[in-house]
Amino acid sequence: MTGTGSLLRLILRRDRVILPLWVLLLGILPQVYLAGFQKLFATDAERLQYAHISATNAGFTGLYGPVSGDSLGELVVWRAGFVPVMIGLAALLTVIRHTRAEEEAGRSDLIRATVVGRWAQLAAALIATTLGCLVIGLMVTASMIGAGEPAEGSVAFGALFTLSGWLFAGVAAVAAQLSGSARGARTIAVVVLGVSYVLRMGGDISAAGDGRLDWLAWLSPLGWVQKIVPYGADDWTPAIIALLVSVAAVAVAGVLLSRRDLSSGLLPARLGPAHAGGGLASPLGLAWRLHRGLLLGWTAGFAALGLVFGGVGSSVVDLAEGNSGVTDVFSKIGGTGPVTDAYFATTAAICGLIVAIYAIQAGLRIRDEEQNGHAELILGTAVGRLSWAASHLVFALLGPAVALAAEGALAGATFGDPGPVLAASLAQLPAVWVLGSVAVLLIGVLPRFAAAAWGAVAVSLLILLVGGLLEVPQWAMDVSPFTHVPQLPAASFSAVPEIVLILVAVALAAAGLTALRRRDIPA
């Protein structure tokens, strides 16, 4: 453990922007939901009606979890039911970034050549991540108590968020020992997170029906923290289970770390064929090989989202009946018009922002290939820089289109009107391309700060989630490209903003590729 303190300071310095960003963003979300509900429900009767309809809707139960009660605190906990997934994702990415990714880049070799213990790097990454999750929990607890909610339930609410991060920090620590690459470790950890969410969803939906499969939720780490039930049962037994499993996962990771060589994983690397197939003879063929898993995963995830959103759509009318506040919430994000049109405009905007993460992730693959030395090998052949970069850019642009098409088509088919819903989803593409092009611009002009592209998504997400509810000034709302997208199907289509966004995306990408062509590789 020698050197843990120094490595912890190094991690905090390197993540001085990213770490506070996701901690602050995720920590304030419950307060935003609380403020929104306080404005939404003028009377207790409206809140009770909302809770009743939400509790009996399988789509809402699958997306956010079960509604434990009709108090304001319980509704906020329910509405924030997806936030633990986001915290888990942020935690696992942070741990892998400072463990397996460092080994893959060769920096761990330099660090371990100094007076640093074997477990120091893993310990420093876990301490930084767990501290970030703890700060989120403290923010949630303090803000809810400050809003007048019961102290015990607020502490339990904060613990739910904190333990979500700790659990998946432990999962990531184990995954980093299993795989020999950062991509493989991320895949393992994200699959565990996805399976946990599906098990939690299946168990909760079953519990709302005949209950035959409600035990599935007990197989999911997300199900454990959800069963704390803040402001309701305030049951600390699942919290203790989650804490013990987190500690056990870290202990297992430490043991596995002691049984492997530096830069290698416990799972053997799969050897490829002796001769490459004809499909790998071009940069685009190689890019397809590298991106296909990501593309299939995002497309499958968005198809599942489409089924959920389409299923919930039929209940939106019931929610809005006799409650003008619900209609107001949708209209602030999704525009005026029938409430179902506003609802699908809202879900399309949310999906657009989520798929922008994919666009940036695919775009940053250019930087990953440069950092791990693969780009030098490829560019040492007859392949030009623009051809190499464009082969990855294709997936950053068309990959989100495939995912959005899957979501829109399935949501519309489930709801019973596929055309308008599909059009609403695809209308988000120009804004998605703008954010993806920001990543390309940073890779070309400021390669060391390419990860700052995630900040553009964070700002856009913040504006989408709280801009309408908090009545943010329009000039601030206009910072997000998604503000300029026509809010289909609640509004009529206008080609001008779409064309302008496409031109902006083309200009950003062209500037990035031009700079990439002229700078050193690697930089």
Side-chain angles (χ1 to χ4, degrees):
M1 300 290 284
T2 304
T4 301
S6 299
L7 290 175
L8 177 61
R9 288 194 293 276
L10 176 63
I11 290 174
L12 295 177
R13 177 177 174 76
R14 291 180 61 195
D15 281 7
R16 60 187 180 278
V17 175
I18 296 176
L19 183 62
L21 194 64
W22 65 260
V23 167
L24 180 65
L25 183 63
L26 297 173
I28 66 172
L29 275 181
Q31 188 62 31
V32 172
Y33 292 139
L34 179 66
F37 279 138
Q38 287 173 334
K39 293 175 63 176
L40 183 62
F41 304 118
T43 65
D44 290 343
E46 290 181 350
R47 191 184 72 243
L48 292 173
Q49 181 195 17
Y50 181 88
H52 174 71
I53 294 175
S54 300
T56 56
N57 184 281
F60 281 149
T61 301
L63 189 59
Y64 301 123
V67 181
S68 61
D70 54 25
S71 70
L72 192 57
E74 287 168 309
L75 284 178
V76 171
V77 172
W78 166 75
R79 183 60 181 83
F82 195 74
V83 178
V85 180
M86 300 164 68
I87 295 174
L89 181 63
L92 70 87
L93 291 177
T94 302
V95 171
I96 292 173
R97 165 178 154 81
H98 293 290
T99 52
R100 175 52 66 182
E102 291 295 285
E103 290 188 41
E104 190 175 18
R107 285 187 284 271
S108 293
D109 292 4
L110 301 176
I111 292 173
R112 293 280 286 276
T114 63
V115 186
V116 173
R118 175 183 286 269
W119 292 278
Q121 198 164 20
L122 176 63
L126 286 169
I127 291 172
T129 307
T130 53
L131 284 177
C133 297
L134 180 61
V135 171
I136 292 177
L138 293 175
M139 287 176 62
V140 171
T141 300
S143 63
M144 295 300 285
I145 292 177
E149 294 300 315
E152 184 177 1
S154 300
V155 173
F157 195 11
L160 188 158
F161 276 25
T162 299
L163 289 169
S164 302
W166 288 3
L167 277 166
F168 287 97
V171 170
V174 174
Q177 315 313 316
L178 296 178
S179 175
S181 70
R183 191 182 316 118
R186 290 190 196 103
T187 302
I188 294 172
V190 170
V191 166
V192 173
L193 178 64
V195 171
S196 298
Y197 183 69
V198 171
L199 288 173
R200 197 279 302 156
M201 180 189 296
D204 289 341
I205 292 177
S206 176
D210 56 16
R212 287 184 299 175
L213 297 176
D214 59 350
W215 51 270
L216 286 175
W218 282 104
L219 300 179
S220 165
L222 294 173
W224 301 338
V225 295
Q226 187 186 70
K227 290 186 180 298
I228 296 174
V229 193
Y231 305 109
D234 290 330
D235 187 357
W236 288 98
T237 302
I240 294 172
I241 294 174
L243 180 60
L244 292 177
V245 171
S246 302
V247 173
V250 171
V252 169
V255 172
L256 295 179
L257 176 60
S258 67
R259 296 183 178 180
R260 68 174 178 86
D261 294 330
L262 185 65
S263 302
S264 67
L266 290 173
L267 297 178
R270 189 178 60 180
L271 297 177
H275 301 283
L280 295 176
S282 68
L284 187 60
L286 177 59
W288 162 251
R289 178 68 173 269
L290 296 173
H291 285 269
R292 62 184 181 183
L294 199 63
L295 174 62
L296 294 175
W298 275 92
T299 304
F302 265 65
L305 267 183
L307 291 174
V308 173
F309 285 149
V312 172
S314 58
S315 298
V316 170
V317 176
D318 297 333
L319 278 173
E321 282 182 356
N323 189 344
S324 59
V326 174
T327 306
D328 290 343
V329 168
F330 285 127
S331 64
K332 285 178 179 177
I333 303 176
T336 58
V339 67
T340 51
D341 288 352
Y343 164 74
F344 281 114
T346 303
T347 57
I350 292 172
C351 288
L353 253 172
I354 296 175
V355 86
I357 295 173
Y358 172 34
I360 290 179
Q361 187 180 12
L364 289 178
R365 186 61 187 259
I366 299 172
R367 180 61 178 164
D368 290 342
E369 291 293 290
E370 180 184 352
Q371 287 183 306
N372 59 29
H374 295 169
E376 290 179 270
L377 299 176
I378 296 173
L379 296 177
T381 65
V383 176
R385 292 189 179 195
L386 290 182
S387 300
W388 164 71
S391 65
H392 294 283
L393 190 57
V394 165
F395 290 90
L397 299 179
L398 298 185
V402 175
L404 282 175
E407 183 275 331
L410 284 174
T414 305
F415 180 66
D417 191 10
V421 181
L422 176 60
S425 296
L426 295 179
Q428 308 298 318
L429 274 176
V432 174
W433 291 339
V434 169
L435 294 188
S437 298
V438 169
V440 178
L441 177 68
L442 289 172
I443 291 169
V445 179
L446 298 169
R448 291 182 58 193
F449 300 96
W454 296 113
V457 179
V459 170
S460 299
L461 179 63
L462 196 63
I463 290 174
L464 175 70
L465 292 178
V466 306
L469 293 174
L470 300 183
E471 299 179 352
V472 172
Q474 189 59 42
W475 64 266
M477 299 282 288
D478 289 341
V479 171
S480 169
F482 292 93
T483 308
H484 307 282
V485 172
Q487 297 172 336
L488 301 177
S492 58
F493 177 76
S494 175
V496 174
E498 300 278 45
I499 293 173
V500 171
L501 287 172
I502 291 173
L503 292 177
V504 170
V506 170
L508 293 175
L513 292 175
T514 302
L516 178 69
R517 189 180 181 187
R518 295 178 178 176
R519 71 169 172 82
D520 293 336
I521 291 181

